[in-house]
Amino acid sequence: MKLFQCPRCGSRVFFENLSCESCKATLGYSTDEQRMLAFEVSADGAWGRLGDEGPSYRPCVNTLEGVCNWLVPSDSTHHHCVSCRTTHTIPALSNPLNRAFWARLEQAKRRLFVTLLDLGLPVPNKLEDPANGLSFEFLEETSTEMRVLTGHDEGVITLNIGEADDAHREQVRQAMHEPYRTLLGHFRHEIGHYYWDRLVRGTPWIDECRALFGDDTKDYAQALREHYANPPADWPLRYISVYASSHPWEDWAETWAHYLHVADGLDTAAAWGLQLAHALPGGPPLTAAPLDLDAEHFGSAVVEQWLPVSQFVNAMDRSLGANDSYPFIVIEPVVAKLDFVHRVVRAARRGEVAMNYQPQAEPAPAPILAQESPSVGGA
């Protein structure tokens, strides 16, 4: 994540800020300009840009709900920002806790979208592109008879809003014996399934993907049953996580999520000017650099950059009495898989390999507001 400053007074502001603590200007994030902008809101509700010149904007309608701080160009026909346009279902707001959970979900999704947009990947929504778009279902589990399972199905990503409850998520993490379970991690994993469909399935990449990750035609439900009954003891020799060993689709999604971890982590370290005098024992000092998206291969970024940065972050976590933020060991087979993800993303961004998107057959329908709904089962 890049650093941001208030265009009006120059003070540091953060991605989640609604206003500048120094000059009290109203803030909003522009995906077109990839930065925070400052505004003065008039008595009639108009947003006047402050500190610099440029296009005019208005807030995403979900700003009124207290769950968004992104902007929409004033001449746009949309009411929602790029991220909120992908949200289809939200939990019933009659439960006061659900608004806070919804806000955390949207915040994590916006962080995901910033990385995806930086990578040059499309993020269409199903309202405008039913065949290829994304739709997020944020659902509450209201009874034991109707479970909500976090997952992906043909562009529809369902998240149990319980994952936005830190106590609940930690309880599940411990019960599942997982070293890592975060809200942003869920988003990064599930979007990996979406991009497997768009970037790998039915494309020239499929044979190399199967050589690295395994045969994706293997029965998925049976593979999961076998995995939970008897996970392979040697998984650390081939996979980034034990769950990655369950099926090639999950190996891809876990690897994809880690590629986004590294891309965003290095972007943040570089933005803050992180310098490590003792990056590796006996090695030269390191000045953190963002991931080179145009590099032909990914491997050197892990060894030279991400390894020392992640070790430093984990050391700081331990100093503060917290668990390791990055409790993973990136071994050579995983580096090869990460390199494959990098090359797929690079080729897609540069237009070297066609992405698997169907052409739109009908005009885009008008956007609709997210609707409250009773809990339903997720995929």
Side-chain angles (χ1 to χ4, degrees), residues 33-253:
E33 301 185 35
Q34 295 183 302
R35 63 192 184 107
M36 298 292 285
L37 303 179
F39 300 87
E40 183 175 34
V41 182
S42 65
D44 60 0
W47 283 41
R49 186 165 175 164
L50 299 171
D52 58 13
E53 296 183 354
S56 60
Y57 295 89
R58 49 188 164 81
C60 170
V61 71
N62 278 344
T63 300
L64 299 175
E65 299 289 343
V67 300
C68 187
N69 68 341
W70 277 21
L71 301 168
V72 179
S74 295
D75 58 0
S76 172
T77 59
H78 293 293
H79 299 289
H80 293 84
C81 70
V82 171
S83 177
C84 287
R85 288 202 291 272
T86 62
T87 300
H88 180 258
T89 306
I90 64 174
L93 299 182
S94 54
N95 180 345
L97 293 176
N98 286 352
R99 183 176 295 277
F101 295 155
W102 178 29
R104 293 173 193 171
L105 288 160
E106 293 290 359
Q107 180 175 300
K109 177 152 67 73
R110 290 194 298 276
R111 279 191 167 266
L112 168 72
F113 271 43
V114 164
T115 304
L116 297 176
L117 293 171
D118 283 347
L119 293 175
L121 295 174
V123 286
N125 64 80
K126 277 196 174 295
L127 290 173
E128 296 174 288
D129 189 351
N132 307 300
L134 282 162
S135 177
F136 288 84
E137 309 286 326
F138 298 148
L139 304 178
E140 179 182 12
E141 192 170 280
T142 57
S143 71
T144 57
E145 289 77 24
M146 191 170 289
R147 297 186 61 201
V148 175
L149 303 178
T150 293
H152 168 268
D153 183 19
E154 296 294 335
V156 178
I157 294 177
T158 302
L159 275 92
N160 185 330
I161 66 165
E163 294 294 339
D165 182 338
D166 293 340
H168 170 81
R169 191 177 62 254
E170 176 62 15
Q171 184 180 37
V172 174
R173 187 189 71 80
Q174 293 191 31
M176 299 289 288
H177 305 289
E178 297 174 340
Y180 174 92
R181 190 182 185 96
T182 69
L183 197 52
L184 183 54
H186 278 308
F187 277 99
R188 287 173 172 168
H189 175 98
E190 298 304 338
I191 207 74
H193 289 299
Y194 170 78
Y195 283 111
W196 189 90
D197 288 343
R198 302 303 166 210
L199 305 182
V200 177
R201 183 177 66 178
T203 74
W205 292 111
I206 190 64
D207 290 338
E208 185 178 355
C209 185
R210 287 171 176 164
L212 284 168
F213 295 89
D215 183 7
D216 56 274
T217 65
K218 179 181 179 181
D219 185 270
Y220 180 73
Q222 179 62 28
L224 286 187
R225 286 192 292 270
E226 293 174 358
H227 170 77
Y228 285 118
N230 187 28
D234 65 345
W235 70 263
L237 302 178
R238 292 174 289 158
Y239 302 97
I240 191 65
S241 70
V242 64
Y243 188 53
S245 69
S246 63
H247 188 275
W249 285 342
E250 299 303 343
D251 192 9
W252 161 272

